[in-house]
Amino acid sequence: MWRDRDFRRLWVGQTVSQLGEHTTLVVLPLCAVLTLGAGAGELGVLRAVGQAPILLLSLLVGAWVDRWRTRTVMVLADVGRTLALGAAAVAWFFGALGLPALLVAGFAVGALSVFFDVAYQASLVRLVKRDQLVRGNSALEGSRSAAQIAGPALGGALVSLLSAPIAAASSALLFALSFLSIRRIRRSESIPEPTYQLSQGLPGPTRQLSQRLPEPAQEPQRRPPRVWRRIREGLRFVIGDTSLRAVCLASAAFQFSLAATTTVYLLFLPRELRLSGTEVGLVLAATGPGALLGSLLAARLPGRFGHGVVLVSAAALGDGAFLCVPALHGSSAGTVLALVAVGLVFGTFGQLVNVTVMAVRQALTPDGMQGRAAATITFVGMGLTPLGSLLGGFLADEWGPRLSLAVTAAGMLLSPLLMALSPLARLGRTLPARGAPCPARS
């Protein structure tokens, strides 16, 4: 697979793009706080605007990308993000950079990242052979995890060594490098047909019989269900299953509280604890190694202790770790080490929950509904993040970062509570058969 030049170009482009995306997630908020002196409410608005495309576009982009060439989508997304961040840097150079310009740049980068992320996942299926998909996905997801580790650290270092606006221009260069790599992919790409044969999907003998029918008796083609109808089917399926509905509610509670907590956290670190940009990047990057450890634990712990026990206990431990942060004071080495430890615990148990929830969702969902169920849970879970960011900024303005951080971190514990009160908590060491319900409450 690695001998395939086009796959290597995709891998390099995706890796650099993910690094640019995770760097930008740190650079833009620090640019608002350190360069423009943005307050808590303004930072909340900036983060909410950057997250809004997940709510507004994710379901539609998933349907649209199937009709386009993924290489074209990724190239255009890279060009757009390069221009958006480059324009912000130019505006700073001419003294015209303000919060409105950052809001436009944040929304543009967020929207184009949705397009790129969906397209690169779809591109692998069209680029490599079927028996290479597992290794290809492993390589791409490995680079994404590495970007999650290196991106925040790189963003903090760039802001500390250069300045926030120049750091934004450096992030633009990463997207430009991704563009240069992906545009070199030469393999022709076929776009899936929007229509399908009526005989497709029928059992073999029935399909053969349909092919022997006289031409006038055949209905050669009909359109597949419309996008909105397929979206509604996914929503109805997830809402109608008590366990998947619990996953949605727990995910929504967690993501809402996490968005609020992160907004306050980005204020708390530089203003209350007086950490430098490099130290902020180091603290934020600590969740990455924790996530790698959590992935390893997820292969063993659910089968040993039970999926329900692991879900509830891991969520409580990981989310509860943030309750220690408001008690910290000063910018000493001990404070930084404590924050790194919190990030490691949060990353480890958070990833353990993510992987276990994915396995539960796949076990409870029929094959024909897997994609829509995943998209629906992501949409519901991430849809409230812009409101969470706004709430975090509002609370930090009214109560100050320290008290607000304690309140929003406590809010994350609502997620394990919801799981503990649902059928998810009663899952044993073996997952239910596909499509079967979770154990009922006795």
Side-chain angles (χ1 to χ4, degrees), residues 32-341:
V33 173
L34 300 178
T35 302
L36 302 181
E42 293 170 323
L43 180 60
V45 171
L46 175 62
R47 282 179 45 79
V49 167
Q51 294 162 340
I54 300 174
L55 173 64
L56 299 176
L57 299 176
S58 55
L59 291 177
L60 290 175
V61 169
W64 289 339
V65 165
D66 284 339
R67 306 285 299 276
W68 299 340
R69 287 182 173 84
T70 55
R71 173 184 174 276
T72 302
V73 175
M74 290 186 287
V75 165
L76 292 177
D78 280 333
V79 170
R81 290 183 292 185
T82 301
L83 293 176
L85 292 175
V90 171
W92 169 80
F93 181 78
F94 287 103
L97 180 64
L99 186 61
L102 279 186
L103 290 174
V104 172
F107 183 84
V109 171
L112 293 168
S113 293
V114 171
F115 278 89
F116 186 96
D117 292 346
V118 172
Y120 93 75
Q121 295 178 61
S123 68
L124 186 67
V125 179
R126 306 181 193 179
L127 192 63
V128 305
K129 297 178 181 179
R130 189 175 185 84
D131 59 358
Q132 296 176 328
L133 285 176
V134 174
R135 286 183 293 168
N137 274 310
S138 177
L140 292 177
E141 289 304 302
S143 68
R144 188 169 69 90
S145 297
Q148 289 176 334
I149 298 171
L154 177 61
L158 289 174
V159 171
S160 179
L161 296 175
L162 304 173
S163 68
I166 297 179
S170 301
S171 299
L173 291 178
L174 292 173
F175 293 125
L177 291 175
S178 174
F179 159 78
L180 291 175
S181 180
I182 291 175
R183 71 183 294 270
R184 295 178 62 216
I185 295 175
R186 293 291 179 260
R187 188 168 304 169
S188 60
E189 180 182 341
S190 60
I191 304 176
E193 292 293 333
T195 58
Y196 60 97
Q197 296 293 329
L198 179 63
S199 59
Q200 287 180 352
L202 297 174
T206 307
R207 187 186 307 115
Q208 294 171 6
L209 177 62
S210 70
Q211 291 171 350
R212 292 197 296 266
L213 288 175
E215 189 70 24
Q218 287 185 330
E219 182 185 349
Q221 290 186 342
R222 63 183 176 90
R223 294 185 180 276
R226 291 185 177 182
V227 171
W228 291 112
R229 179 182 169 186
R230 293 177 60 82
I231 291 174
R232 286 197 301 269
E233 288 173 352
L235 287 168
R236 282 198 298 267
F237 172 76
V238 172
I239 294 173
D241 186 286
T242 55
S243 298
L244 295 181
R245 187 165 67 241
V247 170
C248 277
L249 293 175
S251 177
F254 171 75
Q255 294 294 346
F256 175 81
S257 300
L258 178 63
T261 301
T262 303
T263 300
V264 181
Y265 197 48
L266 288 171
L267 287 167
F268 182 77
L269 295 178
R271 291 192 175 173
E272 290 289 321
L273 300 184
R274 305 295 180 185
L275 299 187
S276 67
T278 302
E279 290 170 329
V280 170
L282 176 64
V283 168
L284 295 177
T287 58
L292 295 177
L293 177 59
S295 298
L296 298 175
L297 294 176
R300 296 181 176 271
L301 295 187
R304 182 173 181 180
F305 299 105
H307 291 75
V309 171
V310 168
L311 276 175
V312 175
S313 59
L317 289 171
D319 299 347
F322 260 99
L323 290 174
C324 303
V325 176
L328 298 175
H329 292 81
S331 58
S332 65
T335 297
V336 174
L337 289 176
L339 291 169
V340 168

Side-chain angles (χ1 to χ4, degrees), residues 341-362:
V342 169
L344 286 171
V345 172
F346 179 75
T348 299
F349 290 107
Q351 184 73 345
L352 179 56
V353 172
N354 290 340
V355 175
T356 306
V357 163
M358 184 179 298
V360 170
R361 191 258 304 162
Q362 291 172 339

